[in-house]
Amino acid sequence: MQTLLIIDYGSQYNQLIARRVRESKVFCEIVPPNVSMHAVRQKDVRGIILSGGPASVYQKNSPQINPEILKLGVPILGICYGMQALSHALGGQVRRAGRREYGRADLYLRKNPGALFGGVPRKSVSWMSHGDTVARFPSGFVKTAYTKNTHTAAFENAKRKIYGVQFHPEVIHSAYGKRVIRNFLFPICRFKKSWTMENFIHEQIRQIRQRVGSSRVILGLSGGVDSSVAAALLAKAIGRQLVCIFVNNGLIRKNEEESVRRAFKGHFKTDIHFVQAQKNFLKVLKGVADPEKKRKIIGHEFVYAFQREAGKIKNARFLAQGTLYPDVIESRSAFGGPTAKIKTHHNVGGLPEKMHLKLIEPLRELFKDETRELGRKLGLPENLVGRHPFPGPGLAVRVIGEVTEERLSILREADARFIEEIRRAGLYDKIWQAFAVLLPVKSVGVMGDKRTYDNVIALRAVTSVDGMTADWFEMPREVLGRISNRIINEVKGVNRVVYDVSSKPPATIEWE
């Protein structure tokens, strides 16, 4: 498959670069600077993008370009730090900028700026984020753009097809950023628009069947988007050789198990084992209020319940997981070392080592929106593939404080009414994530001319693109009023509802 490589120098925008490339129907991979050149040469690499990053090229131990990359003979585009790394590697000079440049900047193109800027006006808005600048570009290069504060905002060596831009074309604030990226992909790299979901499905089915043979595959089905889409793809590939295990830990949303049964039973030829483990989870969570302890206990208990059920399945050689590409990226260091890892994901490794099963991750090349598109192509219902994210520990991290059956029941009912009302108002798809939280406090109220002392429910709804940052959703007053009225009148044990108007940062989306 024709591939564009994105070499990751630690930019917060790497996933945006990949998304822009994928949106153009070109397959891409994000790799660290120390990627094996042998592995690179095994791929059909038609172009390379060098990402931005927080380092300075002249600092000790800063990531540099592998000289072998420059010998591949494919077009290269350096973005921000990537441009500086190109200049440094090819004999130019990079130094601290006399005036740092962050945010909006007017970009001015030189006369005849070349193929990279085809269709871009002489003056446009770009987005900058840099403290260093290219003071002298390498021999054979020409300047193609500048800003008020940046002498060389873009350069190129058209003969070698090497380009650099100091701004970030991948962010939406760069008015013609998509055009710049597509100019690089098509007129310069000459990619074909071959990355389609139909092609992905066909290739994955072929690979799964070839690898699995006659063995059985086990998958932990949670009812969330990722595991459900992975299950649907595997079911289409190997049918009843797939065995799904749904562990009901008592921490799931209202009617979650029933919705999974409806989505899969009769629609996909696969076996589903439903494990009723509610009592065990409540038992080990008794008296625990610390959120990190909750997460560890739930994770440990899940592994125990899953392993016990998986042990009953004969001829099982593989474990399937709904790992997505952002999980893979965030679980490794940007520079290939052990110190810069962003976070560890529960579904990147873990279970296979304990279960002696080989790992299958059919979605590990996809982003979330691509996963939803795949689910639709496979016939999963819209209310499943379009649902909001749900935390791995479930409602346990939305019950602030100790988790009990009674408190879970109150939260589950309140949450169900919240979601029902925003769906009814046509707001569900405009919100990234919406949920209810049971607070560890009670408040005085008056119901039926009697004093009450009951629980408080907080409602949380945010808008976001990727969950990394988020803003609170401005819920219409009348909708908020209906939600509050229903929860207080219909959920026994609640007499007050509040709405969370915190953004991320400084808050997080979840409360725990």
Side-chain angles (χ1 to χ4, degrees):
M1 181 185 298
Q2 292 185 348
T3 300
L4 178 116
L5 286 188
I6 300 169
I7 298 184
D8 172 15
Y9 290 109
S11 172
Q12 60 182 315
Y13 301 133
N14 282 339
Q15 291 188 36
L16 280 181
I17 301 173
R19 290 177 67 84
R20 296 291 173 258
V21 174
R22 297 277 185 92
E23 286 168 2
S24 302
K25 300 190 183 306
V26 171
F27 179 71
C28 66
E29 290 185 43
I30 299 176
V31 298
N34 63 352
V35 61
S36 159
M37 291 306 299
H38 174 73
V40 169
R41 292 189 179 98
Q42 301 307 304
K43 305 175 188 293
D44 184 11
V45 175
R46 300 294 180 94
I48 294 172
I49 291 180
L50 310 176
S51 85
S56 293
V57 293
Y58 46 76
Q59 288 179 336
K60 186 179 180 180
N61 297 325
S62 60
Q64 303 294 332
I65 297 175
N66 183 338
E68 295 301 311
I69 289 289
L70 301 173
K71 298 176 182 178
L72 291 174
V74 301
I76 297 174
L77 170 62
I79 296 175
C80 197
Y81 181 88
M83 175 185 180
Q84 296 163 14
L86 277 172
S87 182
H88 186 68
L90 294 169
Q93 183 182 25
V94 178
R95 68 184 180 198
R96 295 297 293 173
R99 185 174 178 181
R100 296 181 301 173
E101 200 169 30
Y102 295 101
R104 176 191 169 117
D106 288 330
L107 183 76
Y108 299 91
L109 300 184
R110 299 289 299 274
K111 189 177 180 180
N112 300 322
L116 189 67
F117 290 102
V120 179
R122 292 290 296 275
K123 178 184 176 182
S124 64
V125 173
S126 66
W127 194 258
M128 294 286 191
S129 181
H130 65 102
D132 291 347
T133 188
V134 174
R136 187 184 73 247
F137 43 82
S139 175
F141 282 72
V142 295
K143 180 169 74 173
T144 53
Y146 61 94
T147 71
K148 182 179 178 181
N149 297 314
T150 302
H151 178 265
T152 305
F155 64 33
E156 70 169 38
N157 184 322
K159 184 177 181 180
R160 296 182 64 181
K161 293 189 176 181
I162 299 178
Y163 307 82
V165 294
Q166 187 60 69
F167 63 96
H168 287 272
E170 69 272 26
V171 304
I172 195 170
H173 311 290
S174 290
Y176 288 84
K178 285 186 181 180
R179 177 70 63 85
V180 169
I181 290 174
R182 288 177 181 175
N183 284 343
F184 180 69
L185 295 174
F186 301 116
I188 295 173
C189 296
R190 300 187 180 279
F191 275 102
K192 294 178 181 178
K193 295 184 178 182
S194 57
W195 174 250
T196 66
M197 198 50 65
E198 289 79 7
N199 289 348
F200 176 82
I201 292 171
H202 178 78
E203 180 61 20
Q204 281 299 314
I205 288 174
R206 185 192 66 79
Q207 289 183 19
I208 290 167
R209 287 174 177 170
Q210 184 180 50
R211 187 175 180 206
V212 170
S214 60
S215 301
R216 305 195 83 182
V217 178
I218 301 172
L219 181 141
L221 184 61
S222 68
V225 177
D226 306 344
S227 67
S228 297
V229 174
L233 179 59
L234 284 156
K236 188 174 180 66
I238 57 175
R240 293 196 179 279
Q241 288 173 244
L242 172 67
V243 181
C244 296
I245 298 176
F246 181 94
V247 178
N248 188 339
N249 56 15
L251 309 173
I252 57 179
R253 290 166 283 199
K254 187 176 181 179
N255 300 325
E256 185 87 343
E257 184 174 324
E258 291 78 2
S259 69
V260 171
R261 289 181 187 273
R262 284 196 304 270
F264 284 89
K265 289 289 186 180
H267 297 283
F268 297 94
K269 295 179 180 179
T270 184
D271 289 334
I272 304 181
H273 296 200
F274 290 91
V275 179
Q276 306 304 323
Q278 299 93 315
K279 290 182 179 179
N280 291 342
F281 278 83
L282 283 173
K283 182 179 178 181
V284 295
L285 286 169
K286 186 176 180 179
V288 179
D290 180 82
E292 278 306 302
K293 287 183 180 179
K294 285 183 192 178
R295 290 175 181 274
K296 290 178 181 178
I297 289 170
I298 292 165
H300 181 272
E301 190 64 23
F302 173 81
V303 170
Y304 174 73
F306 188 89
Q307 282 184 301
R308 186 171 55 184
E309 188 65 24
K312 302 174 185 178
I313 300 166
K314 296 180 179 180
N315 196 30
R317 303 260 179 92
F318 296 89
L319 175 73
Q321 295 183 158
T323 308
L324 301 189
Y325 201 34
D327 301 336
V328 177
I329 297 166
E330 291 181 349
S331 295
R332 76 169 175 232
S333 161
F335 304 150
T339 59
K341 185 166 67 176
I342 299 169
K343 58 184 174 180
T344 299
H345 285 261
H346 68 280
N347 56 343
V348 182
L351 280 175
E353 292 181 9
K354 299 178 181 180
M355 298 178 64
H356 306 292
L357 298 175
K358 296 177 181 178
L359 188 60
I360 290 182
E361 296 172 312
L363 312 181
R364 68 181 286 119
E365 295 176 344
L366 301 184
F367 289 97
K368 192 76 170 188
D369 57 334
E370 294 173 322
T371 302
R372 295 188 197 278
E373 181 188 351
L374 173 59
R376 294 183 183 102
K377 296 281 186 185
L378 293 170
L380 287 172
E382 184 60 35
N383 65 351
L384 195 156
V385 297
R387 74 190 317 185
H388 294 171
F390 189 64
L395 297 180
V397 292
R398 294 176 180 173
V399 171
I400 310 301
E402 184 180 5
V403 179
T404 66
E405 190 169 4
E406 179 186 7
R407 300 191 77 208
L408 283 168
S409 178
I410 291 170
L411 176 60
R412 192 176 285 116
E413 294 299 327
D415 187 75
R417 284 156 178 79
F418 183 25
I419 300 304
E420 282 174 16
E421 287 300 324
I422 62 174
R423 283 190 184 278
R424 189 171 295 164
L427 299 174
Y428 187 84
D429 292 334
K430 298 178 181 179
I431 297 170
W432 167 267
Q433 197 169 359
F435 56 91
V437 179
L438 180 62
L439 302 185
V441 296
K442 291 189 175 184
S443 71
V444 174
V446 178
M447 301 177 78
D449 295 325
K450 294 182 180 179
R451 177 186 183 277
T452 62
Y453 188 58
D454 278 329
N455 293 285
V456 179
I457 288 288
L459 304 178
R460 178 78 157 142
V462 299
T463 57
S464 182
V465 174
D466 52 15
M468 301 299 290
T469 60
D471 200 4
W472 60 277
F473 180 74
E474 295 190 36
M475 191 76 66
R477 182 186 178 93
E478 63 275 14
V479 177
L480 205 53
R482 286 199 301 270
I483 295 166
S484 176
N485 189 59
R486 280 198 65 189
I487 291 174
I488 291 172
N489 281 287
E490 298 175 21
V491 182
K492 187 177 179 180
V494 177
N495 68 0
R496 192 178 300 270
V497 173
V498 299
Y499 191 59
D500 183 348
V501 293
S502 309
S503 297
K504 175 188 179 182
T508 54
I509 294 178
E510 295 286 347
W511 278 48
E512 284 192 346

